[in-house]
Amino acid sequence: MNENLTRLELDKILSACACHAVLEAGKARLLSCEPTHELAEARRLLALTEEATLLLFTLGAGKVEEFPPCAQWLERAAKGAALSMAELLGIARLLRSARVLYRSVRSFSDERITAFKELTEHLMFDEGLEEEIGRKILNENELADHASEKLFSLRTQIRTLGERIRARLQGYLAGEERKYLQEGIVTVRGDRFVIPVKSEYKRSVRGFVHDRSQSGATVFIEPEEVLEMNNELRSLILDEKEEVARILADLSRAVGRMSGALIADMDTLAEADAFYARAEYGYRLRAVRPDMGVSGRLEIVKGRHPLLDAASAVPVSLSLGEGYRILLISGANTGGKTVTLKMCGLFCLMAACGLFVPAAEGTRLLVFDGVWCDIGDSQSIEENLSTFSSHAVHIREILERATAKSIVLIDEPGGGTDPEEGAALAQAVVAELLRRGCCGVVTTHYSALKEFAYSREGIENGCMEFDAADFRPLYRLKIGAPGASNALLICTRLGLPASVIEEARGYLSEGARAFENTLRAAEESRIRTEELAHRAREEQREWEERLKALSKEEEAFRREREKFLTSSKAEARRIVTERTARAEELLSEMEEIFRKNNPTQADLIRARTLKNKMAREEPEEEAPVRALPADAGTLREGDTVFVGTMQAEGRVLSINRAKGTCEVQTGAMRVRAKLSDLYLPAARPSGKGETVRVTRDLAPRPSAQRECNLIGMTTSEGVAQAEAFLDAAVVANLHEVRIVHGYGTGRLRAAVQEMLRRHPRVESFRPGKYGEGEGGVTIVTLK
């Protein structure tokens, strides 16, 4: 990694990102990652990172499964060598990792996953071989008994024969020969069963001596009577080893046949692992995908340097490429100029490596053919370079290599030498960069360079804000005006004697003092103006929210009023319908009486009774109500008034004479009405000068039904019954009701649903669900 990338600390970013990789190869890819200079490649890398983020944190896919480096093992297998059990288990993990990644990416039908599917489409795996290795190899040192029929048979014979030999040798342990034994155990030496015999009795036990203890007090003898059985056991063990070697060789050959594809798989898995690591690193940073190459403009929105603490870092916004290509940042020391300069270059490098950047949506970055920077103090004793000399060397390299497609970052050019000459050199360097058309960020304290930025096209002043009242930097970048260095104010904050500070002010030239004072006053004025503007925006937002709330209340009142009026109309229609039906019933009885040829006296009395009953039930015509406008001066809380806009009576709750309004309780509603819309209710004349009597019917009414059963009715009867049922439900303020019409021919259901489509108080309707009656009922939601 070249020095420019190291100065911008890209190596630290890649190292932090690599910590999230699972595979060693994935970590190595990230640590060796070089920023691309091609826009299409940068967009491809960012698209893969975005899809990895989607897979991990939205769709819930798993990361790449870990497996050991297998390249050398695969090369040996390709050449015909037999692999060990540990190596085969490692390759089985590689096969599993490839299979899991391939299937997990394709298990999601999300159309946004395209680049990752292309990345993994050539992954090769053999699930059968993976399962075979896992079934036959128990661990790094043991093969399963059922790895083959022959191996199972051999191991069964070995165990059986071993038990027979032990049983035979137990006779020595329990018989007369036990007095010759050092211990009462059977042991093994060189795959042969033996017994431990005291050295002085070794000639008393017939057999072959296989070993001796370190002290010489014990010899291990194989008795003659188990010699043949031990020979047979030895032969079986050799056969077992040959069978194990054959099984491992077969598995190795199967691996060797696909070694080339598996080596390619390792490369793909490492790349996928690196993108998953990028995604996790970006997720932890709360980073976003930047737009790349949009209109040749670089814009960072609320960016945070990724190496700073996210909780305390102050977001910085800046832009390049629209009206100017070089930004000159000035302001107080420790104000964040260098961090902002580094962040600008680092974000471009991160995006060119496929990394998201810790900023807000709307961040746009560019791909450059080179990032050239001169940052910090690079003096070298070994190379005999002073601070100024090292800066001069870096500037020379920048001017040798920078092009119109490069970004240049210079921290305080011309420093470390005479201020006048340094300022002149800085202006010349910036002028050359402007002629070449480079993008860049330059920091400075030189007043001459700040004035230079006002007089040249393509460069813009910016400053890091400083709170002169508290003597502290604010770490916010403001573009459009230079900033004062505030060196003496900062020294005051750091505790330098006041006498020294005042003497230093005296040494300043008149022009320098005037320029710094002007910049400071302008900066303070701008900060105050922005605070006032911010306060105004907050108040505007508050009033807008209040207006929205009032609009919502007004809309709710309008709906409630409409509902109230509709309910009143429905109630009136119900009363008229009931009285009409009763009148028709009485008329029908009277007609039945008069149809008789010879009505009796009783029939005539009955008819007269019906007539009188009908007269009593006929409603009296009400005289028009005369109402006088309410007097706003005499109106009091608790008075009964008539609200003109609602055509309803109510009780006054509160009065606001200043605004000409009052709050009135009408039924269950509280409404705000104008005083000019209130009337005093007048008495209704009776026609005979009698006192009007008001009565209330307190008899309980049947509660509104939530279900209407139309089964057995004709189409016209069912529709009429359903309409009356809906009117009653509206009056009762029901929200959802149920109409039962059955299946039948479907004509009644169709007629009812056609009526529901036209009904003004029906919001929606649907067939019943399972448990509600399904297609035999219709569930109606009322407004």
Side-chain angles (χ1 to χ4, degrees):
M1 186 171 294
N2 65 50
E3 290 185 4
N4 290 288
L5 306 187
T6 304
R7 291 191 194 106
L8 293 174
E9 300 176 297
L10 179 64
D11 55 332
K12 295 180 181 178
I13 301 300
L14 294 176
S15 179
C17 181
C19 293
H20 300 289
V22 173
L23 306 176
E24 290 299 324
K27 294 179 181 178
R29 275 179 174 268
L30 285 169
L31 293 175
S32 62
C33 181
E34 291 286 341
T36 181
H37 302 313
E38 300 295 331
L39 177 60
E41 177 63 10
R43 286 176 172 170
R44 186 188 75 85
L45 297 176
L46 289 170
L48 282 165
T49 303
E50 183 175 39
E51 291 185 15
T53 304
L54 180 64
L55 286 166
L56 281 180
F57 301 107
T58 301
L59 301 178
K63 297 180 71 174
V64 174
E65 293 198 6
E66 189 272 337
F67 60 88
C70 303
Q72 294 183 354
W73 306 341
L74 292 169
E75 291 174 0
R76 286 173 44 220
K79 296 176 182 178
L83 304 181
S84 68
M85 297 181 199
E87 292 167 346
L88 287 168
L89 286 175
I91 290 171
R93 287 162 63 187
L94 166 60
L95 289 166
R96 173 180 170 79
S97 183
R99 173 176 59 82
V100 169
L101 178 63
Y102 181 87
R103 290 181 176 171
S104 70
V105 171
R106 277 154 183 77
S107 65
F108 303 108
S109 57
D110 197 305
E111 295 179 354
R112 293 171 290 179
I113 307 299
T114 56
F116 235 82
K117 288 182 178 179
E118 293 176 4
L119 174 66
T120 59
E121 67 179 344
H122 297 300
L123 280 174
M124 294 291 293
F125 55 89
D126 186 336
E127 191 171 1
L129 178 58
E130 175 194 337
E131 291 180 353
E132 185 179 6
I133 293 174
R135 186 179 68 255
K136 291 184 176 181
I137 302 177
L138 298 179
N139 53 53
E140 295 182 356
N141 301 303
E142 184 178 3
L143 211 63
D145 290 349
H146 293 278
S148 71
E149 293 183 3
K150 182 177 181 181
L151 182 63
F152 178 75
S153 175
L154 288 171
R155 287 186 174 176
T156 302
Q157 294 178 53
I158 289 171
R159 283 192 289 269
T160 303
L161 185 57
E163 290 171 1
R164 287 174 53 202
I165 295 173
R166 285 180 180 276
R168 184 70 60 85
L169 293 178
Q170 286 296 328
Y172 285 88
L173 304 181
E176 296 181 358
E177 292 85 354
R178 66 180 178 180
K179 61 184 178 182
Y180 305 132
L181 303 182
Q182 190 71 262
E183 298 179 80
I185 61 171
V186 175
T187 185
V188 177
R189 287 292 186 273
D191 293 335
R192 304 182 78 85
F193 286 93
V194 295
I195 55 176
V197 179
K198 297 176 181 178
S199 294
E200 59 268 27
Y201 298 117
K202 63 182 179 181
R203 300 187 184 280
S204 301
V205 178
R206 297 176 61 82
F208 297 90
V209 177
H210 282 278
D211 201 357
R212 168 181 307 195
S213 66
Q214 290 184 353
S215 64
T218 304
V219 293
F220 298 93
I221 297 178
E222 178 187 7
E224 287 183 348
E225 55 183 303
V226 298
L227 177 63
E228 289 302 324
M229 286 191 289
N230 267 334
N231 288 340
E232 184 179 355
L233 178 64
R234 177 66 176 170
S235 176
L236 289 173
I237 290 173
L238 292 175
D239 290 344
E240 179 201 17
K241 289 182 179 179
E242 289 179 1
E243 180 63 12
V244 168
R246 184 194 66 78
I247 293 171
L248 296 179
D250 288 347
L251 292 175
S252 300
R253 280 193 293 272
V255 169
R257 286 192 290 269
M258 59 183 309
S259 59
L262 292 180
I263 290 174
D265 279 2
M266 290 177 61
D267 189 65
T268 301
L269 290 167
E271 188 172 1
D273 182 44
F275 282 109
Y276 277 137
R278 288 179 174 94
E280 187 168 354
Y281 179 66
Y283 182 80
R284 293 180 183 275
L285 278 181
R286 301 197 305 275
V288 299
R289 176 183 176 177
D291 294 330
M292 298 299 295
V294 181
S295 304
R297 183 180 179 187
L298 185 151
E299 182 175 7
I300 297 175
V301 181
K302 295 182 179 180
R304 309 179 311 276
H305 195 289
L307 297 181
L308 295 179
D309 183 7
S312 59
V314 178
V316 175
S317 300
L318 64 85
S319 62
L320 293 172
E322 189 169 316
Y324 59 93
R325 294 181 61 81
I326 294 181
L327 178 64
L328 182 69
I329 303 178
S330 54
N333 290 302
T334 71
K337 298 188 300 296
T338 303
V339 172
T340 302
L341 176 143
K342 281 187 171 183
M343 181 189 71
C344 182
L346 181 59
F347 275 16
C348 292
L349 294 175
M350 290 174 66
C353 290
L355 288 164
F356 287 4
V357 296
E361 294 291 344
T363 295
R364 295 182 278 186
L365 301 174
L366 300 173
V367 175
F368 297 100
D369 63 1
V371 178
W372 312 106
C373 57
D374 175 32
I375 301 173
D377 185 359
S378 303
Q379 74 169 310
S380 171
I381 296 175
E382 292 82 358
E383 297 180 12
N384 195 27
L385 290 176
S386 67
T387 298
F388 176 75
S389 299
S390 66
H391 284 306
V393 170
H394 292 153
I395 296 295
R396 183 198 68 196
E397 293 175 352
I398 289 172
L399 296 179
E400 287 175 352
R401 303 180 182 182
T403 68
K405 295 182 180 180
S406 302
I407 183 169
V408 177
L409 309 167
I410 304 179
D411 188 21
E412 299 188 17
T417 187
D418 177 75
E420 187 174 350
E421 292 184 352
L425 177 61
Q427 292 179 67
V429 171
V430 172
E432 177 62 21
L433 295 177
L434 287 171
R435 283 192 290 272
R436 296 191 184 190
C438 300
C439 270
V441 179
V442 178
T443 68
T444 189
H445 289 288
Y446 291 137
S447 298
L449 194 53
K450 301 173 192 177
E451 295 173 0
F452 173 82
Y454 276 124
S455 62
R456 296 294 295 266
E457 293 289 334
I459 183 171
E460 181 63 84
N461 270 305
C463 68
M464 303 305 297
E465 295 184 350
F466 184 83
D467 188 345
D470 295 335
F471 302 108
R472 63 183 181 87
L474 300 177
Y475 306 107
R476 296 197 301 258
L477 175 64
K478 184 65 179 180
I479 297 177
S485 296
N486 293 299
L488 297 182
L489 289 177
I490 292 174
C491 289
T492 301
R493 182 190 176 200
L494 295 176
L496 264 69
S499 59
V500 175
I501 301 297
E502 286 304 316
E503 185 174 355
R505 293 186 193 278
Y507 291 141
L508 286 173
S509 67
E510 190 66 29
R513 281 201 301 270
F515 186 74
E516 288 292 313
N517 289 336
T518 301
L519 289 181
R520 190 178 301 111
E523 188 171 350
E524 292 173 0
S525 176
R526 178 177 49 77
I527 292 174
R528 285 195 300 272
T529 303
E530 288 184 353
E531 288 177 354
L532 291 173
H534 176 71
R535 195 176 308 159
R537 286 193 297 271
E538 289 295 323
E539 291 180 358
Q540 181 183 2
R541 189 179 303 112
E542 181 181 349
W543 280 108
E544 288 176 353
E545 290 176 357
R546 290 185 180 182
L547 286 174
K548 288 180 181 177
L550 288 174
S551 298
K552 289 181 180 178
E553 289 182 7
E554 183 180 0
E555 178 64 22
F557 171 73
R558 187 191 62 76
R559 288 197 299 268
E560 191 67 25
R561 179 174 178 272
E562 182 182 345
K563 186 175 181 180
F564 175 76
L565 294 175
T566 304
S567 300
S568 301
K569 292 176 181 178
E571 176 68 10
R573 188 163 57 249
R574 182 188 67 79
I575 294 172
V576 170
T577 302
E578 287 180 356
R579 292 188 176 183
T580 302
R582 180 60 177 160
E584 290 178 353
E585 183 180 345
L586 294 174
L587 287 172
S588 177
E589 291 186 27
M590 293 172 67
E591 288 176 357
E592 187 177 347
I593 291 173
F594 288 114
R595 282 197 201 99
K596 296 180 180 180
N597 294 327
N598 297 310
T600 64
Q601 188 66 26
D603 291 335
L604 295 175
I605 294 173
R606 171 64 177 160
R608 189 161 43 249
T609 302
L610 290 174
K611 178 184 177 183
N612 294 335
K613 190 174 183 180
M614 189 170 157
R616 285 197 305 271
E617 293 194 358
E618 182 178 347
E620 296 181 358
E621 183 178 354
E622 294 182 341
V625 177
R626 296 194 303 272
L628 299 176
D631 186 355
T634 60
L635 193 65
R636 297 290 182 268
E637 294 180 3
D639 288 354
T640 301
V641 294
F642 184 80
V643 184
T645 55
M646 294 190 63
Q647 294 294 303
E649 287 188 359
R651 184 170 58 87
V652 176
L653 298 178
S654 64
I655 304 172
N656 189 336
R657 289 187 171 83
K659 294 185 176 180
T661 62
C662 71
E663 194 171 287
V664 180
Q665 178 85 34
T666 60
M669 292 190 300
R670 296 163 66 102
V671 297
R672 179 165 288 142
K674 294 181 179 179
L675 292 174
S676 60
D677 191 40
L678 301 182
Y679 300 88
L680 296 176
R684 305 180 190 276
S686 63
K688 294 182 180 180
E690 299 176 357
T691 303
V692 177
R693 298 178 60 194
V694 180
T695 61
R696 295 183 63 188
D697 183 9
L698 299 180
R701 293 184 180 180
S703 60
Q705 299 296 316
R706 293 182 176 272
E707 179 177 296
C708 175
N709 192 336
L710 309 180
I711 295 177
M713 298 183 183
T714 64
T715 301
S716 58
E717 292 174 342
V719 171
Q721 183 69 21
E723 285 182 333
F725 168 67
L726 291 179
D727 289 342
V730 170
V731 172
N733 283 328
L734 298 182
H735 179 64
E736 187 175 89
V737 295
R738 185 168 178 259
I739 298 177
V740 182
H741 43 63
Y743 290 93
T745 62
R747 294 175 61 189
L748 178 58
R749 175 177 57 190
V752 169
Q753 292 183 353
E754 181 61 30
M755 179 272 293
L756 293 175
R757 289 189 185 93
R758 299 192 307 269
H759 200 288
R761 300 303 298 169
V762 172
E763 182 175 308
S764 63
F765 61 90
R766 60 175 176 82
K769 299 179 182 177
Y770 178 77
E772 293 180 332
E774 300 182 11
V777 303
T778 296
I779 308 299
V780 184
T781 302
L782 299 173
K783 294 182 181 177

